[in-house]
Amino acid sequence: MHARQRIERSSEMTNNITRRWVHVSYAETSGFTETYGFVGSQGSVNLEGLLFEPQERVTDAVLLMMHPSSTLQLLPLPAALAEAGYPVLCMGSRYAKNDTALIYEKVALDLGACVRHAKEQLGFGRVVLLGWSGGGSLALFYQAEAEHPSIVQTPAGDAVDLKAAGLWPADAVILEAAHRSRARCLLDWIDPSVTDELAPDARDARFDLYGAHLPVRPPYPADWLQEYRAAQLTRMRRITARVEETLHTLKRRGSAEVERCFVTHRTLADPRFLDASLDPNERAPGTCYLGVPETVNSGPVGLARCSTLRSWLSQWSIDHSRADGEICAGRIGVPLLAIEHGADDAVPQPDVGLLHRASASADKELHCLRGANHYFKGQPAQLGASVRLIADWMQRRPWAR
């Protein structure tokens, strides 16, 4: 887990911020190649990111952002925080921009290399994990394993020893616009009308949320919602059973074929996107953070659209994934700041509050930014309010000054 770091000599300064490319590399041997290119296939994992350095720091702590499958340096928040004097390090995992083969336990190793790197190589005295969106459950998963390591293999049984990894705990965790887990999001969003995974047009009209023959309309009745949610769980577990059966078959054969990919159709059909009375906030019904829900449901960027067998168990299975934010929050003791976006059009309204409630930290706060959508799109006022909230919270902790 010893990381080495290389920073590009050239850097860019705008608005009194220096942006510097960061490269973290550490040794790891995978059983087989799971990512394309020079990322883990040559005995080492290479991670890239961007360090936002203010010209005048107000703290020796760095806010470290990582998402399991996305890059975060183009969000408005990192630069805004740096302009306020707070260094921000945005790092991509080995699965940046492609979560097909994502194994959460390996992402924890990636984040651990970056935490160690920030202190050993960049010289920061403290590291605060800033978990945005899907980065929230990742931050909690990492911190729980760093404080109380327990995992020695993936849900598929492959060796990934987090107990022996020596993960360094972060000094605090900030959650912003964070959902409880990728698996829970998929459970909330998956289309339960699909009756045949190989024929996505074979659907049960009772649960075809966007179909002309759906028997109900918003506001949806409670008894129908209960059936709908049960049908979502049934579909999830049907897919998981097929994944486990296929993995068992491949292992039983004992050949060099060890993994497969598959497509999960129609994965954005949460009634909350059409019915604003369900878990109400200030979001607009009929839309979501990715656009029109019906279009996204079968579009190319839906959750879990393409997945390996192992990734499904580690990342998407509600019964197998360990990166459940609520459970992990109960295992952390460091200070926690939780920030809900009041008009979030991606994260279900209860999630941030549930994560805050579940946290075992004695030092925890919960705030809501009224009117804020998921990405602060067109919202400089709400972005500024977020910066002030984080800055105030940091300044009230002596170690972060």
Side-chain angles (χ1 to χ4, degrees), residues 105-116:
E105 290 77 10
K106 294 187 177 183
V107 180
L109 293 176
D110 294 349
L111 185 50
C114 295
V115 170
R116 181 187 293 266

Side-chain angles (χ1 to χ4, degrees), residues 27-158:
E28 190 200 79
T29 302
S30 296
F32 57 92
T33 300
E34 61 185 19
T35 54
Y36 188 80
F38 190 61
V39 185
S41 62
Q42 308 298 317
S44 64
V45 176
N46 291 283
L47 311 172
E48 296 181 88
L50 200 65
L51 175 63
F52 294 78
E53 288 189 293
Q55 191 171 21
E56 295 185 9
R57 289 186 192 175
V58 298
T59 177
D60 76 339
V62 65
L63 296 162
L64 174 55
M65 301 182 72
M66 180 181 281
H67 188 280
S69 65
S70 184
T71 55
L72 302 176
Q73 62 265 25
L74 296 180
L75 288 174
L77 188 60
L81 284 166
E83 288 174 8
Y86 294 87
V88 181
L89 177 60
C90 295
M91 294 299 302
S93 78
R94 73 183 75 184
Y95 306 104
K97 300 184 180 179
N98 188 349
D99 61 8
T100 302
L102 190 149
I103 303 297
Y104 252 111
E105 290 77 10
K106 294 187 177 183
V107 180
L109 293 176
D110 294 349
L111 185 50
C114 295
V115 170
R116 181 187 293 266
H117 165 79
K119 290 189 174 184
E120 283 189 335
Q121 303 298 328
L122 296 180
F124 289 103
R126 306 273 182 168
V127 173
V128 177
L129 299 181
L130 175 47
W132 179 285
S133 191
S137 53
L138 170 59
L140 293 168
F141 175 55
Y142 172 83
Q143 187 66 22
E145 282 299 305
E147 291 187 29
H148 308 287
S150 62
I151 293 173
V152 297
Q153 62 182 18
T154 71
D158 299 313

